Each structure stands twice: as structure tokens, then as C-alpha cells.
Amino acid sequence: MIKINKQFKIINKFKNNLSIYSNLNNNKLFLPINNNNNNNNNNNNNNNNNNNNNNNNISFNYNNNNISFNYNNNNKKNELFEKHQQQQRLNYSTHVKEDIGENKKKTVLDILKKYKDGIPISMVTAYDFTSSKMVDKSGMDMILVGDSLGMVMNGESSTTSVTMEQMIYHCKSVMKGSKRSFVVGDMPFGSYETSTKDAVSNAIRLIKEGGVDAIKLEGGKKQFEKIKAICDTGILVVGHIGLTPQTSTSLGGFKLQGKTEQEALSLLEDAKSLQEAGCFAIVLEMVPHATAMAITKTLSIPTIGIGAGNGTSGQVLVYHDLLGLYSDFIPKFCKQYATLSENIDQSLKNYKNEVESREFPSPTHSFSMKESELSPFLDKLINNNTSTSLFDKSLILSSNKNILNQNKALKQQQQQQQQQQQQQQEVIVPTRTEKTSAQIKENENENGNENENEKDKIKSTPIPTPTPTVKEETELINNQIKNNILPNKTTLNNSRKPKIVVIGAGAMGSLFSAKLASKGIADVWMVSAWKEHVESINKNGMKFFNPQGKEENIKGIKATLDGMQVLKDGISPDLALVLVKSNSTKQAALTAATLVGGNPKAAVLTLQNGIGNREELESIINVDKGLKNHVWQGVTSNGAVVVSPGSVKQTGIGSTFLSSPYLNNNIKQQQQFLSQLPPPSTREEILALKAFCDILNESGISSDISDDLEGLVWNKVVANAAINPLSAVLGVSNGQLLENEYSKNLMKKIIIEALSVCKAKNISLPYGEDSDEAFKYVADIVLKTSSNYSSMLQDILRGQPTEVNRINGVIVTEGEKFDLNVSHNKMIMEMVLSRTKSNLTLKLFN
């Protein structure tokens, strides 16, 4: 028996011609040797002279940090290894009761086997339980608990301040999250430089207390004796040469190493020395590709590169760098596979905004009480307080009821989805050998064995009745009851008015709120973050000026900064009308979902400018929130301007058209997630749209239904693209655009480009492809809104973002997809984006 005191040297000696199998129960490692393999290694050649049997076995017993080496020359194969060959897969784990396959714990043998097979080794840093769990789940080969945590986690300027206690703490956290990856812990600065004794002692601590599988330390041949001593204890070691951050100051800072002949030779000597000392792998940091490749080819152990090109045996990156979490500095060699810092920043801002606007937590994120328990609790609370004004019992009860209703609706939806999944699983698909009833019947007919009684039971298939068009349905409905999904224009079940909430209190939101409330046929709410506007409306009513300047004071609007106030009476709205800028669509969608979630028959309608708003609303309401409420889209050519808080003037009178993606002619436009909702009949959808159209018409807003949603929206985009950005750049009213030949010509060019995009997308417009007719159509809108100042111009004057990206920007994006000339749209879009409040001033209202 030969006594061996270096675990890695034994493995490394035979790794190129051995298949490896671990017998866990006997704590032995069996390495069957195939003597027919050619090997250029001199040591192995010497062994081959003495071994003539293909079935030789070498076993290693490793106990008490020593390894005993037995060579047994016999023809009988190891029984366990024979079983292993039958399974045709390797199991290298030295941990009892570990899973096999992809979920098994990786060991150094797995790493070396991958190196032998020429498959690059993947390695990522992790510093805590969460990151370790994510890295481990990804299937990463190795995890490095690097001392870079000093900079990344603790905000230090270098890694030298990291202590052994910190490394042990983080190693323990990482090991709790890692179940399969091979984990390496960094030896911090000062833990091994002082003496060999300290190096061994601290390495043992990192293994024993930190729980890692191996340790890593920096330095070349100067660390030979320390690395050798650590390896002699049975601890696996990863070397680290090139740029060594712990001693970077002595290297002139974080600079490329091995870029000269002498430096490259010095690195090669260091690498060979580390290999001889017993390292099973070496990290090469910030080394030229050629130098790293040459070193890799020279060694018989794997190299792990970081900023060393792709010629190494594997790669390592910092978790925070590759995910874009640590954005203070991005090394040249790091590829960012994500920019999570931006997503996190925006998510935190969204959370803050939702907290401040009380959008979060929504009813679906809240818990309810039984009213029988809540009501007496509130009574006692009120009776025990001298100031009862601090508590609004009705508001608390209604909020609790809304939470109860929404959670009940969500539970029902989940149950329906489960039932649908079960039904799908129960569907039996006939196999090739199975015959369907139709096939059996066909065979019977062919054989003349048809049962006459059964034949009499067969009924002829009726000829389907043609489905009426949207236009035909609308004409029929005009003569029938105008109520189905939405309430009747005057009552709901003969008990109350329809409840409509307008989300957004800009010019159009204020206009529609004023018009809807003016006739008293609906219960109108307005939700806005504009405090002065809300307070003025609640105190004095809305001052509404018609296009002729006549003033009317409208008292019927209930304005609020807190959307939950809309649910104070326990009744969810029947319609949510979204009239915010496109950059606020997401926030509006969250508000709408909260408000209409308790009423599955309620609808959400967007009359916003531009493309993509309905899709964003659907994504949040129907997909993210899982609600069944339909989202409609419409366009309006009315014009308005907010004069002051609590005052709005209508500057142009136009038409409003409503549509739904569920109408027959719009089915092709539905998004994939819409198909998950139960589709209504065309008749039901038109009845619902017609009910709201009637409300708008009686409120003084001319409205109708359209069966062409895409054409409807793009028709408005063409008009907006020609009017809004030009008026914004020139700082003029709509009507003034037609007073100048240059602006008229530019409008025509913008329209021509927009028409070419619509043609490429097969979108039908009212005026077809005739650019002259299109200009006449747009000019007519300009004349009807001649005194109006576009919303885009108003946004610039207020220093707010515009919607130009959702209008001209969409034309540019879609046009470039088809390789069309959209230069004028691109130019005017960029001009709008360059405008600021400081360089454009004018008085909007006299």
C-alpha cells in the first residue's frame, strides 16, 4: 500500500484516462483504467509498461485527511461500476442521499470531468442566500463567494477591508441557498499572507465554519508553500493570478496583466507553480486572450477566466455586474445580460406612487372581515371615543365589502380556470388503433350492416344562419331596449343612475366630466392627482365654458384624489373612462382595475390619443389582475383647454366614435390573452356600447359605434400626427396651421407618410389612400377646432412629457419596419422632443 497525502495529485494523475465512479457506502473512489488508450504523459507511459490487464482497478480510501492507494490487478470488474455502466451516466457525488442527474450536488470530479470533455465551466459570484439560490437554480457549475462583496455589498473602495468573520458569514448564507453548485470561498486579504500556519488555519475555518467546498486565494509562486500546506490538509484550492484585486495597488491599479513577453512568461511560471502546489483550478483575471489561451493549453488543470478572453476552460462574472444591479462601474470585460437596476428603480417608484395614491394595496391584496364581526367592532370603537368624526363607519364597511366582492370574484375565476383545465385533461383523443363513432358508422355503412332504427335517428345538419354584420345589429338594436351589460341611460334596475368614473382631470377629462354631469343622467366621479383642481370642483363646482364663451357652473361632479372614495357607497362603477396622457396609462389601468373589479359587467373605455393604450390597459386589467372587464377604445375630435383649477373651456366640437375588439369585424385584432375571456355575442357588445353612446349623446357629445377598431384609431393618429406636433412646435392654435402655406405643405407630407404606413398594414381609412381627401378630412377637423390649442402644445407649456411617441413615433416605428420614408414624421417628432417650456410662451385663454 502506498500512502498519498495529496488528494488532488492522485486525481489529476489519472484524470485523462480514467472513468470515475464513487462508492459512497464504502467511502471509496474506484478508477477503472483502460490501458488501450494512448497517453502522452510520461508518468502514465511508465504505468502502462507494468499494466497489461484492461480490467485493473485502483481504489482510494480517504480517512482522517489521508488517502491510501490500493492497486488490484484482477479480471473481475467492480460490481458497482458494472451497474454504473449499465445506467450509462456518472454519479460523482460524495454526499449520501443526494439526488442524481441535474439536481445532484457537484463535486470537484464533476468539474474535472467537464474540463476533460472540453465543455467550458460556468461560475458566478454570490454573496447571500437569495442570489445563491437563483444561481444554483440556473444550473451554474460553480459559485464563488468572492471578497468583492466588500465593494459590491458593503460599499468599500477595495476588497482589502473584508475580514474572515465576514467571509464566513457570507459563505454560510450562500451554502444555505446552494444545493447543487460547487461553492468556492475567497480567502480575504491578511488571512494567509502572514504565515503558512495562518493560511492553513484560516482555510480550515472557511471550510469548517463557512461550509464551502473549496477555497480560493490570490498570488503566484510566492504562495507555493502555503497552497501546498493547505492542499496537504485535504482542502481543495483554486489559485488566482493576473490582476489580483487584494494587491492591485502594487500592480499599478486595476490594469491589464501579462501584456508583455516578460509579464506573460511570469504568469505562466506562476500558473505552473500553482498547479504543482496542488491547485485544481486557476482564475485568470484581466489577462490578454492570447496569454490566457497559451497558459490554458500548457496546464493540465482548468483555468477560469474573467476578462481573459474565451480561450480559457471556463468563465466567471460578478452576479451584480452581469445582471446590471451594480451600475456604479461596469468593467470592460463584463457583458450585462440584464439591466435590473433600471427595472428596480422604476418598480420602486411605481410602488411609492401607488402607496401615495392608495392604489396599493388593492382589494385583491387585502383581507376582509365578516360584516357581523366588523359592524359591532366599529360601534364599540366609536362609542369609546369622544371624537366620533375620526371614524367613518360607512366608508369602512363599504371598503370591506368591496374587498370581499373582489376576492370572491377572483376565487370564482380561479375555480373556473381549474374546471377548464380539468375538462381539457378529460378530452380523449383516439389513437391510431382506436376508431371514432363516425368511423364505426362508416364501416357499418360499407358492410351493409346499418341499423335502420339508428338511421332514422340521424338528423340532418341545419344550414347555419348568416351572422348579421355590426351595422345590421346596430340598426336592429336602435329599435329595441338600449340596455344590457351597462345600465340604462336613466336607471339601473329602476333603482339608480349609472355610475361613471373619469380617470384623469386634464382638458379632455374635465370636458367629459362636465358634459356627463351637466344633464344629471349619470353619477359622475373624477379621479385625479391635481389637488387644486379637485378642491376647486368640490367647493365651487366645475366652471364650463362653451366654444362661444358662455359659462355654466356644473355641480354634479364628485372629484377625489383617492380612488377608493369612489367605492365609499359600496357600489363599483359601471364604466371607467380613461382620459390621461399615454405615459400615465399604466397608473390609470391600476386605478381602473381597483374600481371596476367588483363589477365584472363594467367596462373600461379609453379615448386617449395614440397607439398602444388599449393594449396596455388590457395587459394590466385582464392579464395581470385577472379581471373579466372588457376594455373598449374610442376616438374623439372634441377640443378643450383647462383655463384654471376648476375651469375648462370647450374649444372645438367634434364627433366621438366607440368600438370594441370583440365586435365581429375586430376579432382578428384581439390579443392572445383576450381569447381567454368568455367572448360576448356581437349583439351584447353593441348593446353595451350603445348604452354609453346614448348617455354621451344626451350629454351633448355626438357619439356613435364603429365596427373597425384599427381603422378608427389610425384615422385619429393620422389627424393628430398632422396637427398636434406642428401646433406645438410653432406655438399656434389649430386654425393658424391652415393660414400658412409652409405649415399646410408639411401637414400634407406628414399625412402622405402616415397613409403609406396604413397601406402597408392593410388598414382601411374613411378616405382610402387618397392623400388629397385625407388632407381635406384633417383640414375639416382643424376648422372645427380652430381656436383650440393642441394637448401637445399645452404639455410643452407645462413642462410635461408629450404623447408624440405614441403618435408620430408609432408612424416612424411602423414605417421603418416596412422600409418606408417617414422622414417628416421623424423630424417633427424630434423637434417636439427638443422643445421646452422656457423657449415657448403664449396665452391660451382670454
Side-chain angles (χ1 to χ4, degrees):
M1 182 177 289
I2 303 172
K3 291 290 182 178
I4 306 291
N5 62 0
K6 283 190 179 179
Q7 179 182 3
F8 173 70
K9 283 190 174 181
I10 297 173
I11 298 169
N12 186 54
K13 181 177 179 180
F14 296 99
K15 71 182 178 63
N16 290 324
N17 65 345
L18 303 183
S19 296
I20 304 164
Y21 181 75
S22 175
N23 178 1
L24 305 180
N25 295 328
N26 296 326
N27 204 27
K28 292 182 179 181
L29 201 65
F30 292 93
L31 307 173
I33 302 177
N34 184 350
N35 294 312
N36 291 330
N37 291 341
N38 293 325
N39 196 313
N40 294 325
N41 188 296
N42 293 330
N43 294 329
N44 288 341
N45 286 336
N46 294 330
N47 290 335
N48 288 338
N49 294 329
N50 298 322
N51 298 330
N52 297 316
N53 195 321
N54 292 337
N55 296 321
N56 294 334
N57 286 329
I58 294 176
S59 66
F60 299 94
N61 295 323
Y62 44 102
N63 293 301
N64 301 323
N65 293 329
N66 289 318
I67 298 179
S68 60
F69 172 86
N70 291 325
Y71 177 73
N72 182 19
N73 187 358
N74 60 62
N75 295 324
K76 185 178 180 180
K77 291 186 177 181
N78 183 276
E79 183 179 337
L80 290 174
F81 182 69
E82 187 177 61
K83 182 179 178 182
H84 155 69
Q85 286 183 317
Q86 293 172 355
Q87 294 175 340
Q88 294 183 347
R89 62 183 178 184
L90 298 175
N91 180 8
Y92 304 144
S93 178
T94 58
H95 296 261
V96 179
K97 296 182 180 179
E98 275 291 343
D99 293 333
I100 62 174
E102 291 299 322
N103 293 323
K104 73 181 182 66
K105 170 68 178 177
K106 283 186 177 293
T107 70
V108 65
L109 302 180
D110 294 281
I111 305 303
L112 295 177
K113 174 64 167 56
K114 200 167 185 181
Y115 165 67
K116 173 191 171 185
D117 292 342
I119 303 173
I121 300 162
S122 58
M123 187 181 199
V124 168
T125 65
Y127 309 116
D128 53 28
F129 171 81
T130 304
S131 59
S132 171
K133 192 172 183 180
M134 295 296 293
V135 174
D136 190 79
K137 185 179 178 181
S138 72
M140 206 69 60
D141 295 320
M142 302 175 72
I143 293 176
L144 172 63
V145 189
D147 61 357
S148 50
L149 65 88
M151 302 173 70
V152 177
M153 303 293 286
N154 300 338
E156 302 291 347
S157 58
S158 69
T159 63
T160 55
S161 62
V162 177
T163 65
M164 271 299 298
E165 283 67 28
Q166 287 176 320
M167 287 306 307
I168 290 171
Y169 171 83
H170 284 276
C171 285
K172 289 172 67 176
S173 298
V174 168
M175 292 306 297
K176 290 176 182 177
S178 175
K179 301 301 180 185
R180 58 173 302 285
S181 298
F182 186 84
V183 181
V184 180
D186 242 342
M187 294 279 284
F189 180 71
S191 65
Y192 58 92
E193 291 89 349
T194 52
S195 68
T196 300
K197 181 180 178 180
D198 287 343
V200 172
S201 175
N202 285 319
I204 292 173
R205 283 193 67 193
L206 208 55
I207 295 291
K208 186 175 181 179
E209 299 178 42
V212 294
D213 302 307
I215 64 99
K216 180 180 79 68
L217 57 80
E218 297 180 5
K221 54 189 176 184
K222 291 181 181 179
Q223 306 297 342
F224 179 89
E225 293 299 331
K226 293 165 187 172
I227 293 174
K228 179 178 180 297
I230 294 172
C231 290
D232 285 346
T233 66
I235 294 175
L236 293 168
V237 178
V238 177
H240 185 160
I241 58 176
L243 173 65
T244 47
Q246 293 177 4
T247 55
S248 60
T249 53
S250 65
L251 300 174
F254 289 84
K255 294 182 178 181
L256 188 68
Q257 304 297 311
K259 60 182 181 295
T260 66
E261 177 188 357
Q262 189 58 43
E263 288 179 353
L265 288 171
S266 178
L267 282 178
L268 179 58
E269 289 179 10
D270 284 337
K272 288 181 176 180
S273 178
L274 294 180
Q275 177 177 263
E276 178 64 23
C279 289
F280 79 92
I282 299 175
V283 171
L284 299 177
E285 182 169 358
M286 283 192 70
V287 175
H289 168 80
T291 303
M293 178 178 284
I295 293 173
T296 301
K297 294 294 184 181
T298 304
L299 300 178
S300 57
I301 59 174
T303 58
I304 311 294
I306 176 168
N310 63 4
T312 54
S313 311
Q315 298 293 329
V316 60
L317 281 178
V318 174
Y319 178 87
H320 294 68
D321 287 344
L322 74 90
L323 294 179
L325 286 166
Y326 187 71
S327 57
D328 290 355
F329 170 71
I330 304 173
K332 169 182 167 40
F333 55 76
C334 179
K335 176 180 178 180
Q336 286 194 327
Y337 290 83
T339 52
L340 297 186
S341 61
E342 297 177 4
N343 295 335
I344 292 172
D345 179 64
Q346 188 58 51
S347 297
L348 291 172
K349 289 178 179 177
N350 291 342
Y351 165 70
K352 177 178 178 292
N353 293 335
E354 288 189 18
V355 169
E356 293 177 349
S357 64
R358 295 191 182 277
E359 296 298 327
F360 177 83
S362 67
T364 54
H365 298 108
S366 305
F367 301 94
S368 61
M369 284 179 66
K370 292 181 179 179
E371 190 169 340
S372 59
E373 298 289 341
L374 177 59
S375 185
F377 164 70
L378 294 176
D379 290 338
K380 290 181 180 179
L381 196 62
I382 293 172
N383 294 333
N384 293 335
N385 283 273
T386 55
S387 178
T388 57
S389 61
L390 295 175
F391 302 94
D392 188 335
K393 181 179 177 180
S394 61
L395 175 60
I396 297 175
L397 287 172
S398 64
S399 298
N400 184 71
K401 184 177 179 181
N402 183 54
I403 293 171
L404 184 65
N405 290 339
Q406 291 209 28
N407 286 326
K408 184 178 179 180
L410 181 61
K411 186 176 180 180
Q412 290 175 348
Q413 181 187 4
Q414 292 172 344
Q415 290 174 346
Q416 290 176 358
Q417 291 175 347
Q418 291 176 354
Q419 291 174 358
Q420 290 175 358
Q421 291 175 355
Q422 291 175 356
Q423 291 173 358
Q424 291 173 356
Q425 293 173 355
E426 291 172 359
V427 175
I428 300 176
V429 180
T431 63
R432 292 182 179 179
T433 58
E434 293 175 341
K435 292 183 178 181
T436 64
S437 58
Q439 290 172 330
I440 294 173
K441 178 64 68 178
E442 182 179 353
N443 291 341
E444 289 176 351
N445 291 340
E446 291 176 353
N447 296 328
N449 296 324
E450 181 180 354
N451 188 311
E452 292 296 330
N453 292 331
E454 292 297 324
K455 182 178 179 180
D456 294 336
K457 294 179 182 179
I458 298 174
K459 297 181 180 180
S460 60
T461 304
I463 300 174
T465 304
T467 303
T469 64
V470 173
K471 184 177 181 180
E472 291 170 342
E473 284 274 19
T474 306
E475 290 175 352
L476 290 172
I477 292 171
N478 281 334
N479 299 319
Q480 298 176 1
I481 299 175
K482 303 177 180 63
N483 173 42
N484 193 338
I485 297 177
L486 275 181
N488 183 273
K489 62 177 179 282
T490 55
T491 62
L492 176 66
N493 297 326
N494 297 319
S495 61
R496 68 170 177 84
K497 299 176 182 178
K499 188 174 185 178
I500 299 173
V501 56
V502 179
I503 301 174
M508 298 309 298
S510 298
L511 172 64
F512 273 77
S513 295
K515 299 294 281 186
L516 288 169
S518 63
K519 302 296 182 181
I521 59 176
D523 182 14
V524 180
W525 284 80
M526 174 193 283
V527 179
S528 172
W530 187 3
K531 184 178 180 180
E532 294 80 6
H533 197 47
V534 168
E535 290 177 347
S536 179
I537 293 170
N538 289 332
K539 182 178 180 180
N540 305 314
M542 175 81 81
K543 289 184 180 180
F544 173 72
F545 298 87
N546 68 14
Q548 291 74 39
K550 183 179 178 180
E551 180 181 346
E552 181 181 359
N553 193 31
I554 299 171
K555 292 281 190 178
I557 303 172
K558 301 171 185 176
T560 179
L561 299 169
D562 181 5
M564 294 302 296
Q565 291 294 320
V566 178
L567 304 174
K568 182 178 179 179
D569 57 2
I571 300 173
S572 296
D574 302 296
L575 180 89
L577 177 57
V578 178
L579 284 165
V580 299
K581 299 298 181 184
S582 57
N583 57 350
S584 300
T585 300
K586 181 179 180 180
Q587 189 67 36
L590 294 170
T591 301
T594 300
L595 298 181
V596 304
N599 180 7
K601 289 188 175 182
V604 178
L605 169 65
T606 170
L607 293 177
Q608 299 165 271
N609 289 332
I611 302 289
N613 295 301
R614 175 180 60 82
E615 291 80 359
E616 188 171 2
L617 290 166
E618 288 172 334
S619 176
I620 293 173
I621 294 170
N622 300 137
V623 178
D624 294 351
K625 299 298 183 182
L627 301 177
K628 298 179 180 179
N629 305 88
H630 287 184
V631 180
W632 299 337
Q633 187 164 12
V635 298
T636 183
S637 56
N638 287 280
V641 60
V642 174
V643 180
S644 61
S647 301
V648 62
K649 179 182 179 182
Q650 185 172 11
T651 55
I653 298 176
S655 299
T656 299
F657 292 94
L658 311 181
S659 189
S660 166
Y662 290 97
L663 298 183
N664 282 347
N665 292 10
N666 288 322
I667 292 298
K668 63 182 180 180
Q669 299 165 18
Q670 293 187 25
Q671 301 295 323
Q672 183 176 0
F673 55 78
L674 285 179
S675 62
Q676 300 172 1
L677 298 178
S681 67
T682 300
R683 180 182 180 83
E684 288 176 330
E685 199 75 350
I686 294 174
L687 283 167
L689 285 164
K690 189 65 178 173
F692 186 59
C693 270
D694 286 344
I695 294 174
L696 289 176
N697 284 319
E698 290 205 19
S699 299
I701 299 174
S702 177
S703 304
D704 204 348
I705 300 173
S706 171
D707 64 347
D708 184 8
L709 179 59
E710 196 167 21
L712 187 74
V713 175
W714 272 92
N715 185 40
K716 178 69 180 294
V717 167
V718 172
N720 283 341
I723 299 171
N724 292 13
L726 263 178
S727 67
V729 170
L730 298 175
V732 298
S733 65
N734 292 355
Q736 290 176 279
L737 294 176
L738 298 179
E739 298 175 2
N740 186 288
E741 287 300 318
Y742 293 102
S743 59
K744 285 171 63 177
N745 288 335
L746 188 51
M747 286 176 67
K748 291 178 181 178
K749 292 175 181 178
I750 291 172
I751 290 172
I752 290 172
E753 292 177 359
L755 292 183
S756 67
V757 172
C758 290
K759 181 180 179 181
K761 292 175 66 67
N762 295 319
I763 297 172
S764 299
L765 299 173
Y767 31 78
E769 301 173 10
D770 191 329
S771 60
D772 290 334
E773 290 299 316
F775 178 75
K776 289 179 182 178
Y777 177 87
V778 174
D780 183 59
I781 295 176
V782 171
L783 292 174
K784 289 180 179 179
T785 61
S786 60
S787 61
N788 183 56
Y789 290 93
S790 71
S791 59
M792 202 171 290
L793 173 57
Q794 295 179 49
D795 288 338
I796 289 178
L797 291 172
R798 297 190 188 100
Q800 298 177 348
T802 70
E803 297 174 308
V804 70
N805 286 320
R806 288 283 178 103
I807 300 173
N808 301 83
V810 172
I811 294 173
V812 172
T813 301
E814 294 298 315
E816 289 178 344
K817 288 180 183 178
F818 295 101
D819 198 23
L820 300 173
N821 178 21
V822 286
S823 58
H824 292 90
N825 278 274
K826 189 172 185 179
M827 175 194 69
I828 198 68
M829 176 184 70
E830 292 174 348
M831 292 180 71
V832 170
L833 293 173
S834 68
R835 299 296 274 167
T836 63
K837 181 178 178 180
S838 62
N839 60 19
L840 181 62
T841 57
L842 58 90
K843 191 174 182 180
L844 294 180
F845 181 70
N846 296 316

